[in-house]
Amino acid sequence: MTDKPDKLRNNRIYYLEALVPVLAFGSTLSGIALWEAGILSEIQYAAAGSFLASCLLAYLAWYRPRKDIVSLTTPLYGFIFLVTPIDYYQGILLQLFYAAGLTTLVIRLHFRFGAGADDRSHGRKELAATPLRTYVESTRDVLAGLEPAGGRNASMAFLYFAEGEYRKAADVSHAGACHEGTPEPLVRAFGILRQHAELLEKNLPRPVTYQKFLPADAALMAKPLPAADQPDREFDTMMDNALLLLYSAAWHASEADRPILIASQPFANKLLEA
Amino acid sequence: MKIGTIDVKVSNISIGVFVFFTLLLIIAAMMDTGIRPHLIWMIPSLFLLLVIPVALNYMSRSQYKDLEPTYEKEAKTVRVRLINESMIGKIVRIEGVVERVHFQFLNRPQYSVADRSGAISVKMFTTPPEDVKVKDIVEVYGQVIRRYMLTGEPVINCVIIRKIDRKP
């Protein structure tokens, strides 16, 4: 569904990346031609293209999930070359070296910092192809009937918990569990999350007895439960499963919250992989 | 060394630099008599190599000391594993065991602190009042930041790290 926009966006990025050396070298070569024709009086102005190329490089670096600080600072040097008077031969040499540097950086950016742009910045509407997406898809049928209000509660409970706002997460979980029409496994997930949030809020340890999912909910669990003789791990896994089930419910039932759920993917992935 | 209520520590690297240039100056003064008239400004400069790091350490330590009550009041105790990108900017408190210590010689210690749920990097931009070592059980107060300011995984910018007796 998102393949075509992704391809178009990637093509746009490739063209922009190719434009960096074209602008940088092209501007210097044009500058030489204009100088020879007597049109350009100061060779420093031939660095205008390099400056634009460096701005473009910084833009490409900024819109990546991993920021490249070297590429981000190149406009500073481009600006200095543009405004500083310099002799003809030194100017040409400096600009060509700078153009070569920008070309190297754009190649480095492409291969070391990925070709894709920042998911959040480009308003993607799908989860990345990770085990999380597989899990969310696997729960679609069970959670498809959930009302948007239930989805909203699930979304808020997950997000408050991720932000460390445990009091609010507990309150929203309570509201979610009491909401009429919420499927039973989801009621249990809200209950488990509420208990964990209240314990975390008060910095209390694991109680001897705690809320659990039922064996019948096994198909909805993202993570398998550990052996019965590991209560600490079981307690943590219950919380992870509750959070991931709520994330999935929020994804299916509260479409308006999808951008923020996408932004919270790293936390959900962390829970799934822990 | 204590200045007022602040315990100031000079990093090993600052002492090393001071010793290196002192030896260099002594050898140069012995071998070349032309240098001796310049000792009048070279010797005070040499001492500045110690005085400046001490002054910087005093300033950063006193600023951290001023921040301590605010952090103790506002911090929320969290489990290490639950620290994530959504918590960037939050003031948190964790308890755990020190697994690794790096860059202590630069007076910029970086600890790896682990609790039952996971481990996290704890960065400090000055020396802590206590000498924290591997296997010490500590409580940490700090702000969740990204490792490289704009990017990287969440780490804790530590304001207080102190040893505690109980288990995390």
Side-chain angles (χ1 to χ4, degrees):
Chain A
M1 198 164 61
T2 55
D3 283 357
K4 205 174 173 186
D6 276 356
K7 201 177 170 187
L8 282 173
R9 199 184 67 220
N10 284 339
N11 281 342
R12 197 177 124 249
I13 289 166
Y14 293 146
Y15 291 136
L16 289 175
E17 285 172 351
L19 199 57
V20 172
V22 171
L23 267 175
F25 283 107
S27 164
T28 306
L29 296 177
S30 310
I32 294 169
L34 291 172
W35 171 275
E36 294 298 333
I39 298 168
L40 194 68
S41 56
E42 297 290 341
I43 197 66
Q44 73 189 74
Y45 298 121
S50 297
F51 174 61
L52 289 176
S54 63
C55 291
L56 183 58
L57 179 66
Y59 167 82
L60 290 167
W62 180 254
Y63 280 96
R64 275 176 156 78
R66 285 172 63 215
K67 310 281 184 263
D68 176 18
I69 190 76
V70 182
S71 299
L72 285 169
T73 53
T74 50
L76 182 69
Y77 306 104
F79 182 71
I80 292 168
F81 296 148
L82 182 63
V83 298
T84 310
I86 193 165
D87 289 342
Y88 179 76
Y89 288 109
Q90 286 95 322
I92 294 294
L93 198 64
L94 197 66
Q95 286 174 29
L96 288 176
F97 274 130
Y98 187 58
L102 291 176
T103 307
T104 312
L105 282 174
V106 80
I107 293 168
R108 174 176 169 271
L109 190 73
H110 182 85
F111 288 104
R112 285 191 58 185
F113 291 81
D118 192 333
D119 288 352
R120 283 166 288 181
S121 320
H122 284 79
R124 284 188 64 146
K125 289 179 180 165
E126 290 298 323
L127 291 169
T130 58
L132 179 68
R133 186 161 88 174
T134 313
Y135 168 68
V136 169
E137 287 304 319
S138 73
T139 58
R140 180 184 290 276
D141 294 341
V142 181
L143 300 169
L146 183 65
E147 289 175 23
R152 177 81 183 145
N153 280 332
S155 166
M156 294 314 292
F158 180 88
L159 296 170
Y160 278 139
F161 195 91
E163 286 170 10
E165 299 287 347
Y166 300 127
R167 180 74 265 151
K168 289 179 183 170
D171 291 345
V172 175
S173 297
H174 179 60
C178 297
H179 190 265
E180 214 170 295
T182 306
E184 281 302 313
L186 217 53
V187 171
R188 284 188 278 281
F190 276 125
I192 290 167
L193 195 69
R194 183 186 176 194
Q195 186 181 36
H196 278 266
E198 284 173 346
L199 291 169
L200 285 165
E201 178 68 22
K202 294 170 188 162
N203 193 24
L204 294 171
R206 172 181 64 81
V208 179
T209 56
Y210 47 88
Q211 294 195 41
K212 295 178 184 182
F213 284 104
L214 298 178
D217 302 330
L220 290 171
M221 299 298 98
K223 295 166 74 173
L225 292 177
D229 60 343
Q230 294 176 298
D232 283 334
R233 278 196 60 199
E234 187 192 55
F235 184 62
D236 287 344
T237 310
M238 285 291 170
M239 184 192 75
D240 294 350
N241 279 336
L243 277 165
L244 289 164
L245 186 59
L246 291 174
Y247 184 92
S248 186
W251 181 264
H252 293 304
S254 183
E255 215 162 303
D257 288 328
R258 285 188 177 183
I260 197 159
L261 290 168
I262 287 171
S264 300
Q265 261 186 109
F267 180 51
N269 277 320
K270 190 177 169 184
L271 293 170
L272 195 58
E273 288 158 14
Chain B
M1 183 174 40
K2 229 170 177 175
I3 303 175
T5 54
I6 308 293
D7 193 11
V8 177
K9 287 179 185 173
V10 187
S11 70
N12 291 342
I13 207 152
S14 301
I15 294 169
V17 168
F18 174 75
V19 169
F20 174 77
F21 280 104
T22 306
L23 290 175
L24 200 69
L25 190 63
I26 291 168
I27 293 165
M30 283 167 67
M31 294 179 74
D32 184 356
T33 51
I35 286 178
R36 287 176 193 173
H38 298 289
L39 290 178
I40 197 158
W41 63 266
M42 281 181 165
I43 292 171
S45 304
L46 205 56
F47 278 97
L48 280 179
L49 290 177
L50 271 185
V51 171
I52 291 170
V54 167
L56 288 174
N57 189 259
Y58 171 78
M59 286 192 286
S60 62
R61 280 293 320 136
S62 58
Q63 279 208 329
Y64 271 60
K65 206 174 167 70
D66 291 343
L67 285 172
E68 283 178 8
T70 314
Y71 273 67
E72 281 171 330
K73 191 179 162 199
E74 290 183 15
K76 177 167 271 185
T77 302
V78 293
R79 280 192 226 153
V80 168
R81 191 168 66 98
L82 299 179
I83 294 175
N84 67 91
E85 281 83 351
S86 306
M87 285 189 184
I88 300 291
K90 298 239 172 196
I91 295 173
V92 296
R93 175 184 173 276
I94 59 166
E95 283 181 15
V97 182
V98 178
E99 287 188 332
R100 279 192 299 274
V101 185
H102 299 295
F103 306 122
Q104 241 170 349
F105 67 99
L106 286 174
N107 273 1
R108 299 282 185 278
Q110 194 171 316
Y111 308 95
S112 174
V113 177
D115 68 6
R116 195 172 52 81
S117 66
I120 193 165
S121 195
V122 172
K123 287 179 162 190
M124 200 163 187
F125 292 92
T126 190
T127 45
E130 286 183 277
D131 191 15
V132 176
K133 295 190 185 80
V134 172
K135 290 185 184 168
D136 282 341
I137 297 167
V138 292
E139 62 175 353
V140 173
Y141 290 82
Q143 191 176 36
V144 182
I145 58 166
R146 287 190 187 278
R147 184 177 286 280
Y148 309 110
M149 303 270 286
L150 295 171
T151 185
E153 79 277 15
V155 298
I156 295 179
N157 178 11
C158 171
V159 169
I160 307 169
I161 182 164
R162 61 167 81 107
K163 293 179 199 172
I164 51 173
D165 291 332
R166 63 185 176 276
K167 279 189 176 178

